[in-house]
Amino acid sequence: MSELHYVDTHCHLMGEEFQEDLEEVIARCKEKHVDKLMIILSLEETKKAIEFAKRNPENYKVAAGIFPEDVTKVDEKYWNAFFELAKDPMVTAIGEIGLEYHWVTDEAERAVQ
């Protein structure tokens, strides 16, 4: 019987909390047979993730998104930057997007989402 291999469909590898030991995090994923990773991130992290994914495009994919908590930052310039990044061939999905009612409790901000 062959070993199982896994896909993490939602990881935030470009977050600050992983930058000091990113290579060790990747090594631990491989040890546990998590072979493919979908990097979910904010607009600010997308460029960094695209460059990271180019190291191993077979196993790393990028999802470009606008976090619901960031909706108040979206103006025409922000939207255009997102749209251009989403065209990059390394971006294979759109996310993280949607409604965030757990962390966002302000009714006005929820309405904008």
Side-chain angles (χ1 to χ4, degrees):
M1 183 171 163
S2 64
E3 291 182 352
L4 290 175
H5 293 265
Y6 302 95
V7 176
D8 185 336
T9 63
H10 189 122
C11 61
H12 290 270
L13 285 180
M14 299 297 106
E16 283 184 36
E17 64 273 23
F18 295 114
Q19 296 316 296
E20 286 187 27
D21 66 342
L22 182 59
E23 295 307 318
E24 290 86 1
V25 170
I26 298 296
R28 288 193 303 272
C29 288
K30 290 179 183 178
E31 286 173 16
K32 301 296 183 183
H33 305 289
V34 180
D35 300 318
K36 297 186 185 296
L37 304 168
M38 172 64 74
I39 304 167
I40 306 290
L41 35 77
S42 65
L43 180 64
E44 293 81 17
E45 297 169 331
T46 302
K47 290 179 186 177
K48 187 176 180 180
I50 288 170
E51 291 308 311
F52 177 81
K54 287 179 181 177
R55 294 172 26 177
N56 188 344
E58 177 67 25
N59 292 338
Y60 305 138
K61 305 297 181 193
V62 176
I66 299 172
F67 291 155
E69 306 89 63
D70 293 341
V71 72
T72 58
K73 298 178 187 176
V74 178
D75 57 13
E76 187 174 352
K77 182 179 176 182
Y78 192 100
W79 176 255
N80 289 336
F82 165 75
F83 191 76
E84 286 304 312
L85 283 174
K87 292 179 185 179
D88 190 288
M90 294 305 300
V91 175
T92 58
I94 301 298
E96 173 165 333
I97 58 173
L99 300 174
E100 176 57 73
Y101 281 17
H102 179 76
W103 300 112
V104 177
T105 57
D106 180 84
E107 288 299 324
E109 197 172 329
R110 285 180 173 184
V112 175
Q113 290 181 23

